Amino acid sequence: PIAGDEQTLVSPCDGAWGEAGRIEQGTMLQVKGRAYRVSELLGDAEAAARYEGGHCATFYLSPRDYHRFHTPTAGRITRLDYHPGALWPVNSIGLQGIDALFARNERICAYLDAAGLPGDGAAREIALIAVGATMVGSVKLTFADLTTNVPGAERTIRELGERAPSFGRGEEWGYFEFGSTIVMLLPPGQAKLDVKPPGTPLRLGEAIGTISSDHKTVNHKTD
């Protein structure tokens, strides 16, 4: 079931919360005490600047979880970036030991023009990053032939323009051929995340926040 109404942001997958919070000075947390740069994750400094002061959340899918991922709100995916890279494990050993792990691993960055957010175009884009990992055969999309873990692959950027597909809230847009990670970036001043401590289980369609221009992120601090 998909919780709430069109103003409700929902979990894009089954899994567990990772680090989440505000994007400050171009950085976000990989784990407590270890930050990395949004520009490295997206591979695009101009795009990264649009999320300064916004919010981020990381969601982990374990091997036992449902491997498909969905949209947190309705919208159109207007751009896809494929970044070839490493396939480091995304477990606690990898997160603690590998700097900027999510920015080094294979990944597909999808930009969702979210229908419920104020503004238009880049002003209301939610970035959804599907990150590959050890033993992840590939990341695949339901609406395009772009896939990861291809020998000799080069970075690929696709501006979808008029071909941009529309998705309802909670609709599937891709899947892992094993468990891995989804990173979500929200533009500043447009949404409230109800952040939970790392490791808290979550299910696809569960409410994780609301669309609003008047809220700040709620952080549940843990030691």
Side-chain angles (χ1 to χ4, degrees):
I2 305 301
D5 57 20
E6 293 301 314
Q7 298 302 111
T8 304
L9 290 170
V10 298
S11 171
C13 59
D14 282 0
W17 281 88
E19 292 291 343
R22 186 177 294 277
I23 298 169
E24 297 180 312
Q25 297 182 334
T27 65
M28 54 192 291
L29 282 181
Q30 177 170 297
V31 292
K32 189 174 182 180
R34 187 183 289 271
Y36 67 108
R37 300 199 66 79
V38 178
S39 59
E40 294 176 345
L41 175 68
L42 298 179
D44 185 325
E46 183 178 344
R50 298 198 292 264
Y51 297 96
E52 179 64 28
H55 299 97
C56 59
T58 304
F59 307 110
Y60 297 108
L61 295 79
S62 75
R64 69 177 179 272
D65 288 320
Y66 170 69
H67 288 359
R68 297 175 182 268
F69 41 86
H70 297 238
T71 53
T73 189
R76 300 168 66 242
I77 292 181
T78 59
R79 172 178 164 177
L80 295 169
D81 287 10
Y82 164 48
H83 299 272
L87 289 173
W88 293 104
V90 295
N91 57 20
S92 59
I93 295 174
L95 294 173
Q96 294 287 350
I98 306 298
D99 285 332
L101 186 153
F102 300 134
R104 297 172 67 177
N105 273 15
E106 294 250 349
R107 61 203 182 277
I108 292 177
C109 304
Y111 294 87
L112 179 74
D113 181 6
L117 293 182
D120 55 70
R124 63 184 188 188
E125 279 181 348
I126 295 176
L128 300 166
I129 301 95
V131 183
T134 302
M135 297 181 66
V136 177
S138 61
V139 179
K140 294 190 175 181
L141 305 178
T142 60
F143 62 95
D145 59 0
L146 197 61
T147 185
T148 68
N149 199 15
V150 177
E154 298 181 352
R155 181 184 177 186
T156 301
I157 300 175
R158 293 187 184 178
E159 296 282 0
L160 302 182
E162 293 181 355
R163 298 177 293 110
S166 295
F167 294 85
R169 198 169 57 99
E171 187 172 350
E172 180 187 342
W173 64 277
Y175 59 95
F176 295 110
E177 292 193 334
F178 209 63
S180 193
T181 303
I182 295 288
V183 180
M184 181 176 72
L185 309 180
L186 297 169
Q190 296 189 355
K192 168 191 171 184
L193 279 180
D194 296 322
V195 174
K196 300 295 190 297
T200 302
L202 78 166
R203 299 294 301 273
L204 168 68
E206 176 182 329
I208 59 170
T210 55
I211 293 173
S212 171
S213 60
D214 299 320
H215 290 289
K216 298 180 180 179
T217 294
V218 175
N219 287 302
H220 298 266
K221 296 183 179 180
T222 57
D223 294 330

